[in-house]
Amino acid sequence: KVVHGIITDCKIQEEEDSEDLVYFIVTYNENSRSHANNFGSVIPPSRKIKASLAWGGYLQLHEKLKIPEKDLISPRPSFWKWITPEMRNETQVRMQNDTWLPQLTLALRNFHLVFTVKESTIPNAGMGVFVRAVPWVVEDNNESSSFDLEAGELLDLGMYAPFCKSDKKDEHVFFVKNFIHSMKAEEWAFDTIESDTMFDITDDFTGDIHDLARTHIPAYINECSSRYEPSIRAEHDPEGN
């Protein structure tokens, strides 16, 4: 599903203990939004997006229209640009211990990117996600080719939450549940676009990640140390997921 819109406003939002952040307001095309909502989506008339995503959309439009480089804003602003794969396939793979784990395959730029789950190389981190790039065609001269993303390009790996209605909880309900399960549910919690709700992909009876969330790759991605720049970014989509 693709929803089209135009930037209608720009605002500065003050953040506590941080520099002011610039946001743009995108107003969606009503026909485009209605079409998406007919298939079960709940997309609002407008949305606030970060400046980096707005600039990414600006650059993508100029590339599509083949506008010369000299006519672009200079110097280029910092941007994030979403890259859409040609094919996406998520399946479950049976492991040697008879457990089932997700595997995600994306086709992009003459490569298959295969994301698999196995024991993390981070000490005491449990399972982690690993990716390998497999070229569609191997050259006769056996020269190896590499898959690259340019600075600012983002690849969608799927949705972290919610997977069912109960995954979105009032904040006070989640706090009680998290306390009952000795704070282990908070390991899987994520914020929503609302100030008083949380996304929670854990089982209400055990506090562990629930079975449906286990079938998707994003739940196995580990956080990195604050010493490193993260290679994975989490963002809310137009529906607030």
PDB file of all heavy atoms in Angstrom, residues 10-24 48-52:
ATOM      1  N   CYS A  10       5.667  23.401   8.237  1.00  0.00           N
ATOM      2  CA  CYS A  10       6.945  23.087   8.893  1.00  0.00           C
ATOM      3  C   CYS A  10       6.905  23.658  10.299  1.00  0.00           C
ATOM      4  O   CYS A  10       6.479  24.802  10.506  1.00  0.00           O
ATOM      5  CB  CYS A  10       8.104  23.682   8.103  1.00  0.00           C
ATOM      6  SG  CYS A  10       9.725  23.449   8.868  1.00  0.00           S
ATOM      7  N   LYS A  11       7.334  22.868  11.285  1.00  0.00           N
ATOM      8  CA  LYS A  11       7.274  23.298  12.680  1.00  0.00           C
ATOM      9  C   LYS A  11       8.564  22.937  13.404  1.00  0.00           C
ATOM     10  O   LYS A  11       9.285  22.025  13.003  1.00  0.00           O
ATOM     11  CB  LYS A  11       6.090  22.631  13.401  1.00  0.00           C
ATOM     12  CG  LYS A  11       4.714  23.026  12.843  1.00  0.00           C
ATOM     13  CD  LYS A  11       3.604  22.356  13.623  1.00  0.00           C
ATOM     14  CE  LYS A  11       2.239  22.733  13.081  1.00  0.00           C
ATOM     15  NZ  LYS A  11       1.959  24.177  13.263  1.00  0.00           N
ATOM     16  N   ILE A  12       8.827  23.667  14.477  1.00  0.00           N
ATOM     17  CA  ILE A  12       9.946  23.347  15.362  1.00  0.00           C
ATOM     18  C   ILE A  12       9.368  22.876  16.687  1.00  0.00           C
ATOM     19  O   ILE A  12       8.534  23.547  17.290  1.00  0.00           O
ATOM     20  CB  ILE A  12      10.856  24.563  15.590  1.00  0.00           C
ATOM     21  CG1 ILE A  12      11.546  24.973  14.279  1.00  0.00           C
ATOM     22  CG2 ILE A  12      11.896  24.254  16.655  1.00  0.00           C
ATOM     23  CD1 ILE A  12      12.448  26.177  14.414  1.00  0.00           C
ATOM     24  N   GLN A  13       9.794  21.676  17.111  1.00  0.00           N
ATOM     25  CA  GLN A  13       9.293  21.119  18.369  1.00  0.00           C
ATOM     26  C   GLN A  13      10.427  21.071  19.376  1.00  0.00           C
ATOM     27  O   GLN A  13      11.497  20.524  19.101  1.00  0.00           O
ATOM     28  CB  GLN A  13       8.748  19.707  18.129  1.00  0.00           C
ATOM     29  CG  GLN A  13       8.293  19.013  19.407  1.00  0.00           C
ATOM     30  CD  GLN A  13       7.579  17.717  19.122  1.00  0.00           C
ATOM     31  OE1 GLN A  13       6.684  17.657  18.290  1.00  0.00           O
ATOM     32  NE2 GLN A  13       7.993  16.657  19.804  1.00  0.00           N
ATOM     33  N   GLU A  14      10.195  21.659  20.522  1.00  0.00           N
ATOM     34  CA  GLU A  14      11.209  21.654  21.567  1.00  0.00           C
ATOM     35  C   GLU A  14      11.208  20.326  22.294  1.00  0.00           C
ATOM     36  O   GLU A  14      10.164  19.833  22.713  1.00  0.00           O
ATOM     37  CB  GLU A  14      10.962  22.798  22.553  1.00  0.00           C
ATOM     38  CG  GLU A  14      11.090  24.187  21.935  1.00  0.00           C
ATOM     39  CD  GLU A  14      10.903  25.287  22.960  1.00  0.00           C
ATOM     40  OE1 GLU A  14      10.653  24.942  24.138  1.00  0.00           O
ATOM     41  OE2 GLU A  14      11.016  26.464  22.586  1.00  0.00           O
ATOM     42  N   GLU A  15      12.394  19.736  22.425  1.00  0.00           N
ATOM     43  CA  GLU A  15      12.557  18.461  23.117  1.00  0.00           C
ATOM     44  C   GLU A  15      13.316  18.688  24.419  1.00  0.00           C
ATOM     45  O   GLU A  15      14.268  19.469  24.475  1.00  0.00           O
ATOM     46  CB  GLU A  15      13.334  17.468  22.234  1.00  0.00           C
ATOM     47  CG  GLU A  15      12.612  17.075  20.955  1.00  0.00           C
ATOM     48  CD  GLU A  15      11.547  16.032  21.209  1.00  0.00           C
ATOM     49  OE1 GLU A  15      11.775  15.157  22.069  1.00  0.00           O
ATOM     50  OE2 GLU A  15      10.489  16.103  20.564  1.00  0.00           O
ATOM     51  N   GLU A  16      12.907  17.998  25.470  1.00  0.00           N
ATOM     52  CA  GLU A  16      13.615  18.107  26.751  1.00  0.00           C
ATOM     53  C   GLU A  16      15.025  17.543  26.610  1.00  0.00           C
ATOM     54  O   GLU A  16      15.239  16.486  26.020  1.00  0.00           O
ATOM     55  CB  GLU A  16      12.864  17.342  27.842  1.00  0.00           C
ATOM     56  CG  GLU A  16      11.508  17.947  28.184  1.00  0.00           C
ATOM     57  CD  GLU A  16      10.843  17.193  29.316  1.00  0.00           C
ATOM     58  OE1 GLU A  16      11.495  16.298  29.878  1.00  0.00           O
ATOM     59  OE2 GLU A  16       9.685  17.511  29.638  1.00  0.00           O
ATOM     60  N   ASP A  17      16.013  18.255  27.174  1.00  0.00           N
ATOM     61  CA  ASP A  17      17.415  17.816  27.175  1.00  0.00           C
ATOM     62  C   ASP A  17      17.914  17.556  25.759  1.00  0.00           C
ATOM     63  O   ASP A  17      18.743  16.671  25.532  1.00  0.00           O
ATOM     64  CB  ASP A  17      17.601  16.549  28.028  1.00  0.00           C
ATOM     65  CG  ASP A  17      17.137  16.750  29.453  1.00  0.00           C
ATOM     66  OD1 ASP A  17      17.361  17.857  29.977  1.00  0.00           O
ATOM     67  OD2 ASP A  17      16.540  15.827  30.035  1.00  0.00           O
ATOM     68  N   SER A  18      17.431  18.284  24.781  1.00  0.00           N
ATOM     69  CA  SER A  18      17.849  18.068  23.407  1.00  0.00           C
ATOM     70  C   SER A  18      17.665  19.355  22.621  1.00  0.00           C
ATOM     71  O   SER A  18      16.987  20.283  23.042  1.00  0.00           O
ATOM     72  CB  SER A  18      17.035  16.931  22.765  1.00  0.00           C
ATOM     73  OG  SER A  18      17.395  16.762  21.412  1.00  0.00           O
ATOM     74  N   GLU A  19      18.295  19.394  21.441  1.00  0.00           N
ATOM     75  CA  GLU A  19      18.120  20.539  20.574  1.00  0.00           C
ATOM     76  C   GLU A  19      16.709  20.521  19.971  1.00  0.00           C
ATOM     77  O   GLU A  19      16.054  19.498  19.909  1.00  0.00           O
ATOM     78  CB  GLU A  19      19.160  20.496  19.453  1.00  0.00           C
ATOM     79  CG  GLU A  19      20.601  20.616  19.946  1.00  0.00           C
ATOM     80  CD  GLU A  19      21.583  20.573  18.784  1.00  0.00           C
ATOM     81  OE1 GLU A  19      21.138  20.374  17.637  1.00  0.00           O
ATOM     82  OE2 GLU A  19      22.789  20.726  19.042  1.00  0.00           O
ATOM     83  N   ASP A  20      16.257  21.694  19.538  1.00  0.00           N
ATOM     84  CA  ASP A  20      14.956  21.760  18.879  1.00  0.00           C
ATOM     85  C   ASP A  20      14.982  20.898  17.616  1.00  0.00           C
ATOM     86  O   ASP A  20      15.976  20.862  16.897  1.00  0.00           O
ATOM     87  CB  ASP A  20      14.621  23.202  18.513  1.00  0.00           C
ATOM     88  CG  ASP A  20      14.392  24.058  19.756  1.00  0.00           C
ATOM     89  OD1 ASP A  20      14.238  23.475  20.839  1.00  0.00           O
ATOM     90  OD2 ASP A  20      14.397  25.289  19.628  1.00  0.00           O
ATOM     91  N   LEU A  21      13.867  20.203  17.340  1.00  0.00           N
ATOM     92  CA  LEU A  21      13.769  19.339  16.182  1.00  0.00           C
ATOM     93  C   LEU A  21      12.799  19.940  15.169  1.00  0.00           C
ATOM     94  O   LEU A  21      11.736  20.435  15.526  1.00  0.00           O
ATOM     95  CB  LEU A  21      13.295  17.942  16.593  1.00  0.00           C
ATOM     96  CG  LEU A  21      14.211  17.184  17.563  1.00  0.00           C
ATOM     97  CD1 LEU A  21      13.580  15.838  17.913  1.00  0.00           C
ATOM     98  CD2 LEU A  21      15.591  16.981  16.972  1.00  0.00           C
ATOM     99  N   VAL A  22      13.188  19.871  13.899  1.00  0.00           N
ATOM    100  CA  VAL A  22      12.335  20.377  12.824  1.00  0.00           C
ATOM    101  C   VAL A  22      11.461  19.246  12.313  1.00  0.00           C
ATOM    102  O   VAL A  22      11.950  18.145  12.012  1.00  0.00           O
ATOM    103  CB  VAL A  22      13.190  20.948  11.674  1.00  0.00           C
ATOM    104  CG1 VAL A  22      12.293  21.402  10.513  1.00  0.00           C
ATOM    105  CG2 VAL A  22      14.047  22.101  12.167  1.00  0.00           C
ATOM    106  N   TYR A  23      10.161  19.502  12.217  1.00  0.00           N
ATOM    107  CA  TYR A  23       9.208  18.533  11.693  1.00  0.00           C
ATOM    108  C   TYR A  23       8.425  19.151  10.542  1.00  0.00           C
ATOM    109  O   TYR A  23       8.225  20.363  10.491  1.00  0.00           O
ATOM    110  CB  TYR A  23       8.215  18.084  12.780  1.00  0.00           C
ATOM    111  CG  TYR A  23       8.794  17.177  13.824  1.00  0.00           C
ATOM    112  CD1 TYR A  23       9.376  17.689  14.977  1.00  0.00           C
ATOM    113  CD2 TYR A  23       8.769  15.788  13.651  1.00  0.00           C
ATOM    114  CE1 TYR A  23       9.909  16.850  15.938  1.00  0.00           C
ATOM    115  CE2 TYR A  23       9.291  14.945  14.601  1.00  0.00           C
ATOM    116  CZ  TYR A  23       9.861  15.473  15.742  1.00  0.00           C
ATOM    117  OH  TYR A  23      10.393  14.638  16.694  1.00  0.00           O
ATOM    118  N   PHE A  24       8.005  18.288   9.621  1.00  0.00           N
ATOM    119  CA  PHE A  24       7.140  18.722   8.528  1.00  0.00           C
ATOM    120  C   PHE A  24       5.785  18.033   8.681  1.00  0.00           C
ATOM    121  O   PHE A  24       5.705  16.903   9.162  1.00  0.00           O
ATOM    122  CB  PHE A  24       7.746  18.367   7.170  1.00  0.00           C
ATOM    123  CG  PHE A  24       8.945  19.200   6.810  1.00  0.00           C
ATOM    124  CD1 PHE A  24      10.216  18.846   7.240  1.00  0.00           C
ATOM    125  CD2 PHE A  24       8.801  20.342   6.046  1.00  0.00           C
ATOM    126  CE1 PHE A  24      11.321  19.608   6.912  1.00  0.00           C
ATOM    127  CE2 PHE A  24       9.901  21.122   5.707  1.00  0.00           C
ATOM    128  CZ  PHE A  24      11.166  20.753   6.139  1.00  0.00           C
ATOM    129  N   LYS A  48       2.784  14.108  11.122  1.00  0.00           N
ATOM    130  CA  LYS A  48       4.029  14.823  11.384  1.00  0.00           C
ATOM    131  C   LYS A  48       5.210  13.896  11.091  1.00  0.00           C
ATOM    132  O   LYS A  48       5.252  12.765  11.580  1.00  0.00           O
ATOM    133  CB  LYS A  48       4.059  15.268  12.850  1.00  0.00           C
ATOM    134  CG  LYS A  48       5.301  16.037  13.249  1.00  0.00           C
ATOM    135  CD  LYS A  48       5.179  16.560  14.667  1.00  0.00           C
ATOM    136  CE  LYS A  48       5.144  15.441  15.687  1.00  0.00           C
ATOM    137  NZ  LYS A  48       5.111  15.939  17.074  1.00  0.00           N
ATOM    138  N   ILE A  49       6.175  14.333  10.278  1.00  0.00           N
ATOM    139  CA  ILE A  49       7.343  13.508   9.972  1.00  0.00           C
ATOM    140  C   ILE A  49       8.614  14.304  10.245  1.00  0.00           C
ATOM    141  O   ILE A  49       8.629  15.538  10.203  1.00  0.00           O
ATOM    142  CB  ILE A  49       7.345  12.995   8.518  1.00  0.00           C
ATOM    143  CG1 ILE A  49       7.472  14.164   7.530  1.00  0.00           C
ATOM    144  CG2 ILE A  49       6.118  12.174   8.222  1.00  0.00           C
ATOM    145  CD1 ILE A  49       7.695  13.714   6.106  1.00  0.00           C
ATOM    146  N   LYS A  50       9.693  13.584  10.503  1.00  0.00           N
ATOM    147  CA  LYS A  50      10.967  14.225  10.769  1.00  0.00           C
ATOM    148  C   LYS A  50      11.524  14.841   9.490  1.00  0.00           C
ATOM    149  O   LYS A  50      11.252  14.390   8.379  1.00  0.00           O
ATOM    150  CB  LYS A  50      11.957  13.207  11.336  1.00  0.00           C
ATOM    151  CG  LYS A  50      11.570  12.688  12.708  1.00  0.00           C
ATOM    152  CD  LYS A  50      12.584  11.675  13.205  1.00  0.00           C
ATOM    153  CE  LYS A  50      12.189  11.144  14.583  1.00  0.00           C
ATOM    154  NZ  LYS A  50      13.138  10.112  15.072  1.00  0.00           N
ATOM    155  N   ALA A  51      12.349  15.865   9.672  1.00  0.00           N
ATOM    156  CA  ALA A  51      12.926  16.573   8.527  1.00  0.00           C
ATOM    157  C   ALA A  51      13.747  15.636   7.648  1.00  0.00           C
ATOM    158  O   ALA A  51      13.750  15.771   6.424  1.00  0.00           O
ATOM    159  CB  ALA A  51      13.794  17.730   9.019  1.00  0.00           C
ATOM    160  N   SER A  52      14.445  14.666   8.255  1.00  0.00           N
ATOM    161  CA  SER A  52      15.296  13.759   7.469  1.00  0.00           C
ATOM    162  C   SER A  52      14.471  12.940   6.478  1.00  0.00           C
ATOM    163  O   SER A  52      14.901  12.687   5.349  1.00  0.00           O
ATOM    164  CB  SER A  52      16.070  12.822   8.407  1.00  0.00           C
ATOM    165  OG  SER A  52      15.200  12.177   9.308  1.00  0.00           O
TER     166      SER A  52
END
